[in-house]
Amino acid sequence: MSARSNRLADKAADGLGGDWIDRGHPISFRLNGMTIEGFAGDTVLSAAVAAGISGAGTRGGLPLALTPRFAPPVRPVRAVEGEQALFPMQRTPIIEGAEYVTPGFRASSRLVRTAASLFGKRPDTLGERFERDFRLHEPWIDQAPEASVAVDLLVVGAGAAGLAAAEAAARTGLQVAVVERAQSAGGAFGLFHKANATGGNPDRLFDDLRGRDNVTFFFRTEVLRLAEGQAVAHQVRLDGTTVEARLVAFTAPRIVLATGALERLPVFPGNRLPGVTGALSAFFLAYRFGVWPGSNAMIATSANAGYRLATLASEAGVRVARIIDPRLAPASRLVDFAKAASLPMAPGITPVRAEHSPKTGRIAVQTRIVNHGTPTGDTLLDVDRLVIAGGWQPDLSLWHGTGGGARWDDDRQQLLPEGDVDGVAMAGSAAGWRDHTAVLESARAAVARLLGRRADEISEPYTDPHFETPDSIIPPVSTPDAVQHAYLDGGASLTMLGADEVVSGLEAAPRAISIGDLTAHVLLGQIDGESIHELASERCIPPRRLVDVATARPAEQAPGFAGRSGVPHYLAGRFGDAQKRVAIASADGRAFETGSLIFANSDLAEPTDAVGVVTEDGGQGKTQAALVAIRFAEKGARLVVRDGASLSYAVIESDEV
């Protein structure tokens, strides 16, 4: 480790020392009253984690980790007040002398932090509170685009598949735009392959594409929604000494989704405590920014890439206390590399609980022998960091937004894309391909299909399980003491095992749920795999406005999107043949979560009894839009909104929206 907190040594193994930062260009800025030291190339998030901030805040009195998948936004202190000034921490580059605060930061918090700093103590949390009625502010979702781009083909994702698709399209002379949420290309290639690997190396593809006049890259840019040849993305830009953000509208008759795969969050108590992180998050922070909190770690993995990460971390100076794996005899070249590095391994072992010590900041991990009920002793299991790799799930969020279908694969325990959408094609691991050669072939085949050409058959080599044990899952822990302490996914939905909002069925959940929430429920036996695709296509699409990119004004409703002029297609006929959009206001001035069900009276609770649903967020004390059965849509009518486990009365203020 270097002297700087939580930074790996420069030029660590295979680029694990931070390829995206310039250690010769230090930068100082302030975050929630704390002075943070970072480097050019850091994001606000990476610099904060490097400085020892491991917590985003609390929920239910328990600390919640700050990770690349879950972080509150930040607002420049000198910016105009209001949500439009918020930026995502994960995509915001640091600049000298900037000062940011998170939405829940208060002046009183500044005094507490200042007093603590006088005694040599730096807070390790941002101090946000994510209680039941939390909203992870993303105001940029509903802003109007400030710029428009028209291309022949749009590629979403700049990993190996996205770059291969861009190359195939560029060779035909098409004008291509590649949109990537990170600040450079490459994806997770380095987690699965040596940095100097040949054949489809993203760095080499990227270098080639940057020299082409017909390919344009948009980094720090995240696609929020797309449909029918239109896409809207939020872009964060570093303009000299100023950070700016805007929405960019794309028109493209052909779109390739190369969004990759999401890492599953193993379900056990304490799985989102500070100090617990996913393997992908750990890799990206180390590979891109040279950030690795703590001097030792335990790797809990059911995926072969977990062994690759353990080997890289060990070579970079991290002491790997143990690698545990629920698979009884895992075998792969990545496992062999870990064995050659003499890393301690414990096959047939799974994590069942993690506990955080506020005094030491360390994590105590309780483990259990697979297929046996007696927990193992926790000697040597008290570590600085627990890295969990629980398998993969193709990222289908944008695919579902276009109306694309899905199917559950029992063998792989994954939800895979299915069906066709005009003008849209899936590629790489987002399409379910695992082998690197198949990932590249699928990208080229996707472009060929969009151009109406014959696509070559994709071959995915079969490897005997004796030589390459397939990636699996870390089995979920479902016990009474796990309720309210085990999360189902690592993102913003914050759905917990046994939480009230899912006990009566996910269709009643007050917020948009994630694919991770759904797949966890299948593994827990709470959802039939046959019905998961229907829930995914209906509930994994947060209500968002579609924008007419030609006029930069709200457009007419498109399938799969909610907006000022319409509701998601899956609510058509939900409350009878006659239903109406109305404006409602809470009797007690509160704001309801989008998706909260509306009932005729407080005695009704089953989702099938609902007479309406809240379709738009509203500020505190403001009116909100709702869809209600027409027989209950009279102005002045008093109805009951069930927001999770709580009830509140609402009054229809207008029978027209």
Side-chain angles (χ1 to χ4, degrees):
M1 296 283 178
S2 67
R4 190 174 290 271
S5 176
N6 289 343
R7 293 281 187 183
L8 295 170
D10 194 7
K11 306 301 181 184
D14 285 330
L16 212 61
D19 277 359
W20 292 3
I21 59 173
D22 179 0
R23 295 180 188 243
H25 185 178
I27 290 177
S28 176
F29 69 102
R30 293 178 66 79
L31 174 62
N32 281 6
M34 297 176 283
T35 298
I36 306 292
E37 304 289 340
F39 297 110
D42 264 321
T43 64
V44 173
L45 175 71
S46 66
V49 176
I53 301 176
S54 59
T58 60
R59 190 178 191 219
L62 293 175
L64 192 62
L66 176 69
T67 72
R69 288 197 64 194
F70 184 80
V74 293
R75 176 179 62 81
V77 169
R78 290 182 290 275
V80 177
E81 291 288 341
E83 292 186 340
Q84 282 68 27
L86 293 173
F87 295 87
M89 288 181 69
Q90 303 93 321
R91 293 187 284 119
T92 301
I94 63 173
I95 55 176
E96 181 65 39
E99 184 169 2
Y100 297 103
V101 293
T102 55
F105 181 75
R106 299 290 181 268
S108 58
S109 302
R110 186 194 303 273
L111 296 177
V112 172
R113 294 174 189 275
T114 301
S117 65
L118 294 177
F119 293 94
K121 295 180 63 178
R122 176 199 293 276
D124 60 2
T125 177
L126 294 174
E128 294 291 298
R129 297 183 63 187
F130 303 97
E131 300 308 328
R132 184 174 191 82
D133 59 349
F134 90 99
R135 284 177 173 80
L136 193 62
H137 298 269
E138 292 183 324
W140 47 85
I141 284 176
D142 283 333
Q143 295 175 15
E146 299 177 24
S148 60
V149 177
V151 291
D152 299 315
L153 186 140
L154 172 67
V155 179
V156 183
L163 295 174
E167 181 189 47
R171 289 183 183 278
T172 69
L174 297 178
Q175 289 293 327
V176 181
V178 182
V179 174
E180 167 59 47
R181 65 165 63 95
Q183 63 197 55
S184 190
F189 179 84
L191 182 59
F192 300 91
H193 306 276
K194 299 286 286 184
N196 59 356
T198 58
N201 185 308
D203 290 340
R204 297 173 185 174
L205 287 171
F206 182 43
D207 288 341
D208 177 64
L209 289 170
R210 281 191 297 180
R212 292 179 175 268
D213 294 335
N214 59 336
V215 179
T216 305
F217 285 90
F218 293 81
F219 291 115
R220 300 191 186 97
T221 305
E222 182 174 7
V223 173
L224 306 177
R225 50 194 182 268
L226 58 86
E228 300 179 354
Q230 298 184 4
V232 177
H234 182 259
Q235 181 185 41
V236 177
R237 298 185 299 169
L238 180 58
D239 184 10
T241 59
T242 304
V243 175
E244 300 176 344
R246 63 176 185 172
L247 254 62
V248 180
F250 294 87
T251 55
R254 309 166 190 88
I255 299 173
V256 175
L257 296 180
T259 46
L262 300 171
E263 187 168 21
R264 281 179 155 159
L265 179 70
V267 180
F268 58 84
N271 61 349
R272 289 188 62 174
L273 290 173
V276 182
T277 187
L280 272 180
S281 293
F283 171 75
F284 286 144
L285 283 173
Y287 181 78
R288 295 169 174 171
F289 308 107
V291 174
W292 188 287
S295 61
N296 62 69
M298 170 187 282
I299 312 292
T301 182
S302 58
N304 296 328
Y307 291 86
R308 163 77 169 158
L309 179 62
T311 304
L312 291 175
S314 177
E315 293 174 351
V318 177
R319 185 174 70 85
V320 177
R322 185 174 297 180
I323 306 173
I324 63 173
D325 190 332
R327 299 174 298 176
L328 296 178
S332 80
R333 59 186 177 83
L334 301 180
V335 173
D336 291 340
F337 293 155
K339 289 180 180 178
S342 300
L343 299 182
M345 301 182 190
I349 303 293
T350 189
V352 294
R353 174 179 291 278
E355 295 184 355
H356 178 263
S357 171
K359 291 184 178 180
T360 65
R362 292 166 67 84
I363 298 292
V365 186
Q366 183 183 23
T367 64
R368 179 170 297 161
I369 301 173
V370 174
N371 296 327
H372 293 74
T374 304
T376 65
D378 58 4
T379 55
L380 299 179
L381 302 182
D382 186 25
V383 293
D384 294 335
R385 202 179 195 202
L386 171 62
V387 179
I388 46 181
W392 320 104
Q393 165 58 49
D395 186 353
L396 305 181
S397 52
L398 289 177
W399 173 249
H400 283 142
T402 67
R407 63 179 176 84
W408 178 256
D409 188 301
D410 274 326
D411 292 334
R412 295 174 55 170
Q413 296 287 284
Q414 290 179 339
L415 190 66
L416 300 176
E418 186 174 57
D420 296 310
V421 176
D422 288 343
V424 181
M426 300 284 282
S429 54
W433 299 104
R434 295 171 289 189
D435 176 78
H436 182 58
T437 299
V439 164
L440 299 176
E441 290 179 353
S442 73
R444 298 172 185 124
V447 173
R449 288 195 300 272
L450 291 174
L451 294 175
R453 300 174 180 176
R454 184 182 66 83
D456 294 335
E457 185 175 348
I458 302 170
S459 59
E460 186 156 43
Y462 171 78
T463 303
D464 191 314
H466 177 73
F467 300 103
E468 185 81 20
T469 307
D471 288 349
S472 181
I473 59 168
I474 292 178
V477 176
S478 181
T479 59
D481 65 344
V483 174
Q484 302 295 335
H485 297 284
Y487 289 91
L488 301 185
D489 188 40
S493 64
L494 291 187
T495 306
M496 284 182 162
L497 179 65
D500 292 338
E501 61 258 35
V502 297
V503 165
S504 60
L506 281 167
E507 67 274 11
R511 292 184 292 275
I513 56 180
S514 72
I515 294 176
D517 294 333
L518 290 178
T519 56
H521 272 80
V522 174
L523 300 177
L524 288 162
Q526 298 177 1
I527 299 178
D528 187 340
E530 294 296 321
S531 60
I532 184 176
H533 67 280
E534 296 178 2
L535 281 168
S537 63
E538 293 182 357
R539 294 307 314 279
C540 295
I541 309 172
R544 294 171 177 177
R545 275 194 303 179
L546 182 67
V547 175
D548 183 340
V549 299
T551 62
R553 296 174 181 173
E556 292 302 313
Q557 177 189 351
F561 296 93
R564 306 293 179 188
S565 59
V567 296
H569 67 90
Y570 57 84
L571 290 178
R574 169 68 172 83
F575 306 106
D577 294 336
Q579 51 190 28
K580 192 171 186 179
R581 294 185 76 244
V582 300
I584 64 170
S586 169
D588 57 11
R590 66 178 294 181
F592 301 120
E593 289 281 359
T594 299
S596 297
L597 294 177
I598 301 173
F599 298 85
N601 59 65
S602 58
D603 294 331
L604 302 175
E606 294 298 321
T608 52
D609 296 330
V611 300
V613 64
V614 178
T615 58
E616 286 182 23
D617 284 338
Q620 196 77 11
K622 295 182 179 179
T623 58
Q624 296 178 253
L627 183 70
V628 178
I630 200 165
R631 66 184 184 279
F632 297 97
E634 183 178 352
K635 183 178 180 180
R638 188 178 175 89
L639 300 171
V640 172
V641 177
R642 186 174 293 276
D643 193 345
S646 63
L647 299 177
S648 183
Y649 287 101
V651 177
I652 296 181
E653 293 201 337
S654 172
D655 59 359
E656 292 185 0
V657 176

